Structure formats: structure tokens, C-alpha cells
Amino acid sequence: MEPVEGLALLHITNPDGSEQVVPVTQSPYNIGRIETNDLSLAHPMVSRHHARLLFQGPEIVLIDLNSSNGTFVGAQRLAPSEPHRLSYGDVFTIGPYALRLEPIPSGAPEAPAGEAPGAPEETPEAEEEMPRPSRRRRPGPPERPPEPPAPSAPALPYDEAFGIPRDESRYLQYLPPIYHHDPFLGRFLLAFEGILAPIEQTVDNFDLYLDPRTAPPDFLDQLAAWLGLTLDEKWPLEKRRAVLVEAAELYRRRGTPRGLARHLQIYTGVEPEIIEPEDRPYHFIVRLRLSPGQEVDRATVERIIDANKPAHTTYSLEIVGG
């Protein structure tokens, strides 16, 4: 078996439960959705540039690159751009993927055939040398005491968290070629790159802000406003996302029994019965049969019905069970 070259082995558990192992061959090691990363995880829950692994001597550092859905170590969500030390065996989560770093196993080299392992090598006998006359050495200046070690720098400066080099700004590539190797200008532009890098990360992941399934929770109200919807703050997060995902279909069927039934089903989790009595025109009955222990807010249900029913109709609400 050929030895694996690299810094560590990354064990990946995919959303379907399958597993794969890839070697981490460099530091920094970038993880994200697009193919320009060192590890590409093609899933909408993964940001374009999601996280970074850094190997600093014996230490391993994981950084969340201001991702939309976060990077988790166990149940802890990492603060954006803040370094987090990892140990071998720690499981961290990116979207639906579970990842774990393990050291590369090192095997002892095989001994040549016919030679016992660990046998000392034969060395040729040293030739006898004629003794040389000793020479008196003049006393030199006293040795200076060793200088104290310089204080160590922080484990991870702010600029590395966003992939900004220490010595030269990547903004040089956007200037005319004559400036590409200007050391002063490269350092000067780092100041601007440090300010703009977080904004670039947000813009780079803006496509995920427009998808209700991946948008940050505090951005859902903005999406709802664009669609002319008002989300109830009392609704659980997953139900607010579901309404936005189906907003176009709900609008298309607004004012129909099918549209009302689907809207109520998203909120309550049960399919309602909508009955139109023949003896009462322009009137209908909404009946919800709840499972034991289930509760719904009657006022919220009534608001959903009022927003979806035709203006000239009346209704009765019956909540059964619960």
C-alpha cells in the first residue's frame, strides 16, 4: 500500500449516509460550494466559500468564512471569522455534511530482504589518525547571553480568516501589470482589502439569501415583503420558510378552497376539511381535526382564512380534538 501524502485525512459523511476519505494536502484548505475550493460540497446549504482549515504546526484551526448557515463543531455554531482549534477526531458540520479529521497513519519502512529489522548498519572501521599537536587558543570575548524569545503572534490574525495574505493584497491583480509586483502598493491595498473582504463574502453568497430554504432567519421578513406577505412572528421558522417556498403557488390559488387548504396545512400540519353547505350560499365551514395533544392558535387560523377567502363569503371554524 502506497503511503498517503498530505497533512491529514478528512472523513466525510454525505447526506445520503455514504462516506469518503480525502487527503488534506495543503494549508490553508478551503471548503465551499463552488469548484474553485480545495473541497467542493455541492449543496444549497453550503456557501460558496464556507470554511477554511489551517494547519499551524501541531495545531489545527477551523474558521467559518461568514457562511449563511454556519459551521458547527458538535452543537456549537462557530462565530464568523473566529478561529476554533480542532483536535483529531472532532466532528464538524457544514450543511448536511459531517466531517472529521484523522492523522495520516505512518508505517515503519520495510527492511531489505535478508536483513533483520532493526539490525545495526555495518560501518567501515575508522582509519587511525596521527595525533596532532594541540594549539593554545587565545581567550575570546565573553559569550553574550541568549536573547529571550520574541513574543508569539496571535494564532490567527483577522486578515487570514478571509483569506487575505499577510504581505501582498490580491487586489494587485486588478491593476495594470506594471504594479503587480510593487511591494509598497501590495501592503497598502491590504488595508482596503481587510475592510471589503467581509462585504465580498456576503455578496458572494447573496444567491443563498434569495432562497427561503437557505436565507438567514432575519432575512425572511425582507423576502416576505418583496412578495407582499406578512409572516407571523409566532410561527416556527420551518413553517415561515415553507410559506415563502410556496408563495407563488399560494398566490395563484388564492381565493380557492385548494389554496386555503394548503395554507392551513402548512401552519397546522393537518389537512383541513372545507365544506360548502348547499343551504347556505357564500358560506363555508373549515374543520380541523387535530391529533391528541396538538395545539393551534385559533386567532392565527382565522387570520389565514380571512386573508385567503373571497371577500363576499363568510365561514365557520371548527377545531376538533387536540
Side-chain angles (χ1 to χ4, degrees), residues 101 113 130 310:
L101 279 173
M130 296 294 293

Side-chain angles (χ1 to χ4, degrees), residues 17-171:
S18 61
E19 295 186 358
Q20 58 178 321
V21 180
V22 296
V24 179
T25 57
Q26 64 183 28
S27 176
Y29 188 80
N30 296 318
I31 304 172
R33 191 174 75 251
I34 60 177
E35 295 182 356
T36 55
N37 291 283
D38 301 303
L39 175 63
S40 176
L41 302 175
H43 194 278
M45 296 292 290
V46 180
S47 296
R48 292 163 59 87
H49 301 284
H50 198 108
R52 173 172 294 122
L53 286 169
L54 288 176
F55 291 78
Q56 301 175 333
E59 293 184 352
I60 307 173
V61 175
L62 174 65
I63 311 159
D64 178 82
L65 299 180
N66 198 25
S67 62
S68 299
N69 295 288
T71 304
F72 294 81
V73 177
Q76 175 190 359
R77 179 168 181 166
L78 303 187
S81 309
E82 292 292 332
H84 179 89
R85 285 185 173 85
L86 282 181
S87 300
Y88 287 120
D90 289 347
V91 177
F92 59 98
T93 306
I94 294 178
Y97 298 88
L99 303 97
R100 184 182 80 255
L101 279 173
E102 295 291 350
I104 295 178
S106 57
E110 297 181 0
E115 182 178 338
E121 297 182 359
E122 295 183 1
T123 56
E125 296 182 359
E127 298 181 358
E128 295 184 2
E129 295 184 358
M130 296 294 293
R132 296 180 180 179
S134 60
R135 299 176 62 183
R136 181 176 298 177
R137 303 178 64 181
R138 295 182 180 180
E143 296 183 358
R144 291 187 299 176
E147 297 181 358
S152 58
L156 189 69
Y158 174 81
D159 54 2
E160 278 191 19
F162 289 97
I164 305 173
R166 290 173 177 267
D167 53 350
E168 185 178 274
S169 172
R170 57 189 172 91
Y171 287 175

